[in-house]
Amino acid sequence: MLGDDVENRHDPPGVNSRSLSVAHTAADLEVLREIENVYFSPPSEFDAARYVLSHAPSPPTCEAVEVMFTKLKRQQQVVSGKALHLISQQRDNCDREFAEIQNIRQQLAITLKTCKEARQHLSNASNHLTISTLVILANVRKRQIIKKVLKSLELLQSLRSVEKDVKEYTCIADLSIRLNDTLCMTEEKLDSVLANICYNFDEDVFMKLKKAYDLLGKTQAAMEQLHMHYSSAVNESAIDALKPYINDVDLKFQDMCSEVNINKASVCLLNLCEKLFMVMRSYYLLVDWHNKYDDVKSNNVFDIEKNVSREYIRQKLKAGLIRIWHDVQTKVSTFLKCSDLKDYPFEKFIQMLGVLRKLTQVAEIFCGDKSDLLQDFIKTQSVSYIKNYHRGRMEELKLFLENEGWEQCPVKSTFNLLNLQEFKQFKKYLNPKIEQSLNKTGTQSDTTFSVHSQDDSVYIARYFKYKTTHTPFEMFHDENITNDDIFGIETELVPSDDSDDEPDELKGDYVDDDRIHCDKISNSVIVTNTTLSVLRNCGQYLQISRYLPQISLEVIMLMNQLFDYYFYAVHLFFTSDLEVASSTLYSTKLTSTLKRISNNINSEDFVLSPVLPQHLDMNSEATLHGLCERIVAVESVIFLAKQFESLQPYLDTIVAQHQRMILEHFKNNTLAVATDLRMPVYMCSAAKAVDAKTALIAMSQVKWDVKNVAVEHSPYVDMIIRKIQIFALRLENISSKVSLNREVLNSIWFMVSKFVVHLLVEGFSNATKCTNGGRGLMQLDYRQLFVKLEKISGLKPIPYQEYVDRYVKAYYLPRKGLEEFVQERTEYSNKHLLALVTCACENKRDRQALTSLIEGRES
């Protein structure tokens, strides 16, 4: 019926060829585009009537409402026509779908009929099979089971009667006693063999033991006894490991640990871990044997007891893994507590960390434990050790700084920290060329540790699974073992550049001063022996942080202390004779950094502020008052800061996310101000290039109240230029001792220029009377001086010259301009401004007002 209806139905009302053609006209399409998108929302989410009312025209005149109604009516007609057109286009598809529905309806009717017939047949079958038939079958099964039970009871009864008859014979009683004795001896022998299993598991022997205890019916008791033997084996192995290294072997384990000589402690720890590993390996093989051969459950009702015993043993073995590892951790922790780790040599301490690291890897394979107890203890001991070690390095640094000759070490112009042996293992993380090569091959440094952790797991698992007398700790017996071997560092994936190898001059702990030679390359590196010592110490600190990333921040802070102390000492030594005002020489960051370091040094109880060395000659004019040593000191600090900056990307990867801001703060507020140290240090020599007292006397003899503009500069200009020429000649002599690049030379001449311009302003401010002609002479003098200074220094233009130019031109300012100058120019002292006002203001009242304004600046 439904199909007939579909076939005979008529087109929708209002749809004809004309309406269809109209729906596609351009006008209708334009109307469709004007309809707001909100009208196409689902009715449940959109109320069209409310929306139209809320957007009614204002004011609501009849004409406006009629226009709005006409527009909406037109839009409705177009949408209706478009919808009907689309429906008519899909008519054929709709007809096919209705035919398919009819077909499905017929198939469902057939299926329903089949199900009804099947249920009818099942009901008939159920009525023919009575309950009594099933009861008979159940009773027959019970009878068969009872017959088997009766047969077993008859057998037991006959055995009981035989037992009573046998007891009447005396020989049987003696045999019983002997059998009991034999049983006890057998159990003792079995127990002895069972104890030996703890040290060297043998699969064949254990299988025989297992069968023997099964026959005795003491499988669970044997497993309990075996675990006691393993606990004893851990204790005995620990004691045996310490015996060769002490004199009194009758002590408790804790006392024995205290008796071990510090020089033998690392070897003793290695021996202890090896012996304990043998016990762990034996237990691991025991568990593995049970998993392979004795973990098959039976579904037989009569094997319930065996299944229960098997499950008990499985749980016991699983718990035993954690228990034995806990015993091993306790023994190792006890040994470490009793050993004074803080006095260990650094190489021995690193080796011990390697042994403990290997032990934690063994534990992860053994029982999946992360060794939190041991890790926490290692962290605590390592922090204590590194702080004690750092205390020694700080005292050593203090000694080095106080005795440093501040002479340039002979290194290549491309030298950096990667050339030092201590940073060899970090080369792939710090060398941009190697990093780029790794990126090309698809290897990422972030995954290095995880990959090698997996490799270590596979490597250590071999020692557990195969019968061997070797241990994972054998590598530590090699005296030539390196940190790369200890920490499993991968080999270089790209060929190393020979130019990055450590120079022969740096392979010793100290560079001989007699071997220093000058390399006049403009970009030469300036470092000292102390600089190299600080870098080597940093490399050693980073070796510890690689194994213990959880203390990386503490280690990095200690590294930063080394830099702080070096930075502070250079400033203390080479600005002690600074004779000029320091207000314009110190940046805000430099001042705060020096204050922070000074407070830290004074608050620490293990290091004192360095003492100014007496062997430095900073009074000789021939050496520009120790300028050579000042250059080496300051530039070595700047080089050291650059090396610390190159470490920052790597350091960011070994600290937690929230700790990186500490590193960023140190980089931006300490390392970044290293170059600021040039100004106060170089000013100490630059300020002595010209005798300020003589120059000021010469300037005071100039008549600044002349009426006519002079054509010749004043004599003091030639005197200052001559002094600067002498300074330049001596600076050239210094270049034979230390490499002076353009940046260093510019920094020195910047300070000379800064001193000269301040000297000129000071001299000009001493003039009590000054006319327009005198002001012209001032301009002539300083311009002539700057022209000569440009030729001598190579600086163009001369820096800071606006300081004196602005001051001289202020004499020409009117009353209002002079008042603004006094208020805004805080770089000039009150003395300079008072002299300016005195000479520039002829009006007494204006002069008094400006003077009061200047004096008020102090308050």
Side-chain angles (χ1 to χ4, degrees):
M1 292 295 293
L2 184 60
D4 297 337
D5 293 340
V6 172
E7 291 297 331
N8 297 328
R9 68 183 179 181
H10 299 286
D11 289 338
V15 177
N16 51 42
S17 60
R18 181 179 179 182
S19 62
L20 291 176
S21 61
V22 171
H24 293 281
T25 61
D28 289 349
L29 291 176
E30 185 64 27
V31 171
L32 286 174
R33 291 191 187 97
E34 292 177 355
I35 298 175
E36 298 182 38
N37 291 334
V38 69
Y39 285 103
F40 297 101
S41 303
S44 60
E45 301 177 2
F46 174 69
D47 188 347
R50 184 177 299 277
Y51 179 80
V52 170
L53 290 175
S54 63
H55 290 75
S58 180
T61 61
C62 293
E63 292 80 4
V65 172
E66 185 66 27
V67 171
M68 181 179 181
F69 173 78
T70 303
K71 180 180 178 181
L72 292 173
K73 185 66 175 178
R74 173 61 177 159
Q75 290 176 350
Q76 182 186 19
Q77 291 174 351
V78 172
V79 171
S80 300
K82 182 65 175 177
L84 292 174
H85 175 65
L86 294 174
I87 291 171
S88 65
Q89 287 182 334
Q90 299 298 324
R91 179 175 179 178
D92 293 339
N93 294 337
C94 183
D95 293 342
R96 283 194 297 270
E97 290 299 325
F98 272 111
E100 183 66 24
I101 291 172
Q102 286 297 105
N103 185 25
I104 293 173
R105 176 180 291 178
Q106 293 174 1
Q107 293 178 1
L108 287 175
I110 295 172
T111 304
L112 181 61
K113 180 180 179 182
T114 303
C115 291
K116 289 181 178 180
E117 293 176 354
R119 289 184 176 180
Q120 184 65 34
H121 292 316
L122 287 174
S123 178
N124 295 335
S126 176
N127 294 331
H128 285 86
L129 293 176
T130 60
I131 297 176
S132 59
T133 305
L134 298 176
V135 172
I136 293 172
L137 292 175
N139 290 335
V140 170
R141 184 172 179 274
K142 288 181 180 180
R143 186 179 66 178
Q144 291 176 346
I145 294 174
I146 292 172
K147 282 183 178 181
K148 291 182 180 180
V149 174
L150 288 174
K151 186 176 180 180
S152 299
L153 290 175
E154 290 175 356
L155 179 60
L156 291 174
Q157 185 178 7
S158 61
L159 289 174
R160 182 65 177 171
S161 61
V162 171
E163 182 183 2
K164 291 180 179 179
D165 295 339
V166 168
K167 286 184 178 179
E168 298 178 3
Y169 299 95
T170 307
C171 62
I172 298 301
D174 295 338
L175 180 61
S176 177
I177 294 173
R178 291 183 180 182
L179 288 174
N180 286 331
D181 294 339
T182 303
L183 180 60
C184 292
M185 292 178 61
T186 302
E187 290 181 356
E188 290 177 1
K189 291 291 185 181
L190 291 174
D191 190 65
S192 177
V193 178
L194 194 66
N196 292 330
I197 288 292
C198 299
Y199 299 94
N200 187 16
F201 181 83
D202 189 307
E203 187 175 301
D204 296 334
V205 173
F206 183 75
M207 190 176 294
K208 295 176 182 179
L209 282 173
K210 178 72 167 52
K211 291 180 179 179
Y213 279 109
D214 286 344
L215 292 173
L216 293 174
K218 295 186 177 181
T219 304
Q220 292 188 21
M223 189 55 60
E224 295 282 353
Q225 190 67 21
L226 182 59
H227 279 81
M228 293 177 61
H229 285 315
Y230 270 107
S231 296
S232 299
V234 171
N235 186 58
E236 292 175 4
S237 296
I239 292 175
D240 290 341
L242 267 61
K243 283 183 179 179
Y245 306 99
I246 61 175
N247 297 324
D248 190 355
V249 297
D250 295 328
L251 301 174
K252 294 182 179 180
F253 179 77
Q254 185 172 353
D255 297 330
M256 293 175 69
C257 295
S258 302
E259 291 293 321
V260 177
N261 189 285
I262 189 173
N263 296 325
K264 300 179 181 180
S266 59
V267 181
C268 184
L269 175 64
L270 177 58
N271 191 33
L272 175 63
C273 291
E274 285 186 320
K275 287 189 176 295
L276 293 176
F277 171 77
M278 296 305 294
V279 178
M280 294 171 67
R281 187 180 76 89
S282 176
Y283 191 84
Y284 185 89
L285 293 175
L286 169 67
V287 176
D288 189 58
W289 185 91
H290 274 277
N291 291 336
K292 288 181 180 178
Y293 303 109
D294 201 39
D295 197 29
V296 180
K297 293 185 178 181
S298 174
N299 295 325
N300 195 329
V301 179
F302 299 101
D303 292 336
I304 293 178
E305 184 177 353
K306 291 183 179 180
N307 289 335
V308 172
S309 177
R310 201 174 280 118
E311 180 63 21
Y312 170 81
I313 293 173
R314 190 181 69 82
Q315 295 294 337
K316 190 72 175 178
L317 290 171
K318 183 178 179 181
L321 289 169
I322 301 297
R323 178 182 172 185
I324 290 177
W325 169 236
H326 181 268
D327 292 344
V328 170
Q329 276 195 107
T330 302
K331 294 298 181 184
V332 175
S333 299
T334 301
F335 176 82
L336 295 174
K337 287 178 182 178
C338 297
S339 302
D340 197 1
L341 295 181
K342 63 181 180 181
D343 295 328
Y344 275 33
F346 183 81
E347 293 76 12
K348 294 294 183 183
F349 180 75
I350 289 293
Q351 185 172 349
M352 289 185 66
L353 287 184
V355 173
L356 296 174
R357 176 178 183 268
K358 193 69 69 176
L359 183 62
T360 57
Q361 292 174 341
V362 166
E364 192 165 354
I365 299 297
F366 180 71
C367 61
D369 187 66
K370 298 299 183 181
S371 310
D372 294 336
L373 176 64
L374 187 59
Q375 291 280 15
D376 291 342
F377 179 76
I378 294 173
K379 176 183 176 182
T380 303
Q381 292 294 314
S382 297
V383 170
S384 176
Y385 175 85
I386 192 64
K387 287 184 177 180
N388 182 69
Y389 182 77
H390 176 69
R391 186 180 296 110
R393 302 292 70 75
M394 290 292 288
E395 293 173 354
E396 182 183 84
L397 178 59
K398 179 177 182 295
L399 181 64
F400 280 7
L401 289 169
E402 292 174 349
N403 294 276
E404 175 65 60
W406 303 106
E407 296 182 350
Q408 182 180 2
C409 289
V411 297
K412 297 180 296 185
S413 60
T414 58
F415 172 77
N416 56 42
L417 54 79
L418 293 178
N419 298 120
L420 297 175
Q421 186 68 25
E422 287 77 6
F423 287 91
K424 178 183 177 183
Q425 57 183 286
F426 303 100
K427 184 174 292 186
K428 68 171 297 181
Y429 307 108
L430 303 176
N431 192 328
K433 292 186 293 183
I434 296 180
E435 186 67 26
Q436 292 173 4
S437 176
L438 290 175
N439 291 336
K440 290 179 181 179
T441 58
T443 304
Q444 298 180 357
S445 59
D446 294 341
T447 61
T448 299
F449 293 108
S450 61
V451 171
H452 281 272
S453 177
Q454 296 173 2
D455 292 343
D456 288 341
S457 299
V458 175
Y459 167 75
I460 294 173
R462 295 176 182 173
Y463 290 94
F464 279 107
K465 295 182 179 179
Y466 301 107
K467 186 176 181 181
T468 177
T469 57
H470 300 286
T471 71
F473 303 95
E474 287 184 344
M475 60 185 296
F476 297 99
H477 289 290
D478 185 3
E479 295 181 356
N480 297 321
I481 186 174
T482 64
N483 291 335
D484 294 5
D485 301 321
I486 291 176
F487 296 108
I489 299 170
E490 59 279 6
T491 57
E492 295 289 347
L493 299 179
V494 294
S496 61
D497 187 359
D498 293 339
S499 63
D500 291 336
D501 293 338
E502 184 177 14
D504 293 337
E505 297 90 336
L506 299 179
K507 290 183 179 178
D509 293 332
Y510 190 80
V511 179
D512 189 359
D513 293 339
D514 294 336
R515 299 172 61 190
I516 292 180
H517 58 278
C518 180
D519 183 6
K520 294 187 178 181
I521 302 175
S522 61
N523 59 349
S524 295
V525 172
I526 298 179
V527 294
T528 65
N529 285 299
T530 308
T531 311
L532 301 177
S533 176
V534 171
L535 288 175
R536 287 188 169 114
N537 288 333
C538 291
Q540 292 177 336
Y541 287 13
L542 288 180
Q543 291 174 21
I544 295 179
S545 67
R546 286 205 66 186
Y547 169 58
L548 295 170
Q550 62 267 39
I551 67 169
S552 292
L553 183 62
E554 289 89 339
V555 173
I556 294 172
M557 297 303 291
L558 298 181
M559 288 171 48
N560 294 346
Q561 281 188 14
L562 293 173
F563 178 85
D564 285 347
Y565 198 82
Y566 190 99
F567 182 93
Y568 180 81
V570 168
H571 174 266
L572 178 66
F573 292 169
F574 296 101
T575 60
S576 59
D577 58 340
L578 183 61
E579 297 177 351
V580 299
S582 60
S583 58
T584 62
L585 298 176
Y586 288 82
S587 63
T588 303
K589 284 187 176 181
L590 178 59
T591 301
S592 61
T593 298
L594 291 170
K595 183 177 180 181
R596 175 186 63 80
I597 299 174
S598 177
N599 293 336
N600 291 340
I601 291 177
N602 294 329
S603 65
E604 299 291 347
D605 58 352
F606 60 86
V607 62
L608 299 175
S609 178
V611 179
L612 187 66
Q614 301 298 320
H615 64 276
L616 294 178
D617 182 13
M618 293 188 291
N619 298 318
S620 174
E621 292 185 3
T623 62
L624 295 182
H625 303 275
L627 181 58
C628 180
E629 289 80 4
R630 296 180 199 270
I631 293 172
V632 172
V634 172
E635 299 307 317
S636 66
V637 171
I638 296 174
F639 172 80
L640 190 60
K642 290 179 179 178
Q643 302 310 298
F644 269 71
E645 287 182 6
S646 69
L647 287 173
Q648 295 304 304
Y650 171 72
L651 299 181
D652 285 341
T653 64
I654 63 175
V655 299
Q657 181 73 30
H658 66 278
Q659 296 173 339
R660 294 179 182 176
M661 63 178 65
I662 300 176
L663 306 185
E664 190 69 20
H665 184 271
F666 181 77
K667 176 183 176 182
N668 296 335
N669 294 277
T670 302
L671 299 180
V673 301
T675 54
D676 295 350
L677 204 57
R678 285 172 172 160
M679 292 186 69
V681 174
Y682 292 162
M683 180 58 83
C684 292
S685 293
K688 299 179 179 66
V690 178
D691 187 352
K693 184 177 180 181
T694 304
L696 291 175
I697 292 175
M699 293 179 71
S700 66
Q701 295 174 355
V702 178
K703 295 182 178 181
W704 303 110
D705 56 350
V706 294
K707 296 182 179 180
N708 300 321
V709 178
V711 294
E712 293 288 337
H713 59 265
S714 303
Y716 74 87
V717 174
D718 294 327
M719 183 196 72
I720 293 176
I721 292 174
R722 180 56 184 163
K723 290 291 185 179
I724 294 175
Q725 288 174 337
I726 295 173
F727 181 88
L729 292 173
R730 290 171 177 170
L731 182 61
E732 186 175 354
N733 293 334
I734 289 176
S735 65
S736 64
K737 299 180 181 179
V738 62
S739 303
L740 300 179
N741 56 38
R742 176 48 55 186
E743 189 175 3
V744 175
L745 289 172
N746 287 348
S747 299
I748 296 172
W749 284 114
F750 268 51
M751 292 302 98
V752 173
S753 174
K754 187 176 183 66
F755 177 76
V756 169
V757 298
H758 280 78
L759 179 64
L760 290 176
V761 171
E762 180 67 21
F764 293 157
S765 67
N766 290 332
T768 56
K769 296 181 180 181
C770 184
T771 61
N772 288 335
R775 294 160 190 160
L777 180 59
M778 289 180 182
Q779 290 179 319
L780 176 65
D781 288 347
Y782 74 73
R783 286 175 180 172
Q784 181 67 23
L785 180 59
F786 290 155
V787 169
K788 293 296 181 67
L789 186 55
E790 281 184 359
K791 294 180 179 179
I792 297 172
S793 65
L795 298 178
K796 192 173 183 179
I798 293 297
Y800 308 112
Q801 59 177 297
E802 68 276 2
Y803 180 78
V804 62
D805 185 64
R806 189 186 303 113
Y807 184 80
V808 173
K809 289 181 179 179
Y811 284 99
Y812 299 99
L813 293 174
R815 166 68 176 78
K816 184 65 175 178
L818 193 58
E819 181 178 352
E820 293 177 354
F821 184 90
V822 168
Q823 291 176 335
E824 296 174 359
R825 296 299 171 183
T826 58
E827 65 267 28
Y828 298 100
S829 67
N830 285 359
K831 173 183 176 297
H832 297 160
L833 296 177
L834 288 172
L836 176 64
V837 169
T838 300
C839 295
C841 285
E842 297 180 356
N843 188 295
K844 183 177 181 182
R845 180 177 299 176
D846 291 342
R847 188 164 58 249
Q848 289 177 345
L850 292 175
T851 300
S852 300
L853 185 63
I854 295 171
E855 292 175 349
R857 294 200 321 168
E858 295 181 355
S859 60

